[in-house]
Amino acid sequence: MKVKITWKAFGNKVEQGRFVSSVEFDIYDTNPSHEVLLNAIYKATNLKSELADFGANAFEIYLWNVIEARLAEDRTHTSLSIGDEIEIDGQVYVCSDFGWVKVEDAEIKCLPGEYGIGAVFSVTEKVNS
């Protein structure tokens, strides 16, 4: 499985320590469902080195080790947030208000000016009318 994680929820504000960046890697020897992988990556990037303290399984710890090894040296923030993306074998998912949404099914709203940062997103699944 080919995986790409892109942190983009807080925009590209290098002077504030926030910038869009990605890591890419392949997963071999296992074939988890997209839902399992999305949630495992979310947990790994948010708990990082504390995974074992929170009962993470071996796969989640493995994922963090793979991700951490590919991070840019100046990367200080790895927690996934609403608006960040994970691509698995060409299918892009967006971190939403509640879980993950395929990008083609997502309604993405920028909330400019709110919270003083101008790059926070609300992501929900489109409602078919």
Side-chain angles (χ1 to χ4, degrees), residues 5-78:
I5 303 169
T6 304
W7 290 268
K8 60 192 270 184
F10 292 103
N12 208 22
K13 298 185 185 303
V14 178
E15 69 282 359
Q16 296 177 8
R18 299 191 318 255
F19 48 92
V20 174
S21 67
S22 298
V23 296
E24 297 183 46
F25 56 94
D26 292 310
I27 296 177
Y28 302 104
D29 302 326
T30 184
N31 193 20
S33 70
H34 286 198
E35 181 180 1
V36 166
L37 185 55
L38 291 164
N39 291 320
I41 291 171
Y42 182 88
K43 186 174 181 179
T45 60
N46 283 273
L47 294 176
K48 304 178 285 194
S49 61
E50 298 176 336
L51 281 162
D53 297 337
F54 287 91
N57 61 43
F59 181 62
E60 293 163 341
I61 294 169
Y62 160 79
L63 282 172
W64 173 244
N65 291 333
V66 169
I67 293 164
E68 184 179 37
R70 288 160 176 77
L71 292 171
E73 286 185 30
D74 56 352
R75 184 78 189 172
T76 58
H77 178 82
T78 61

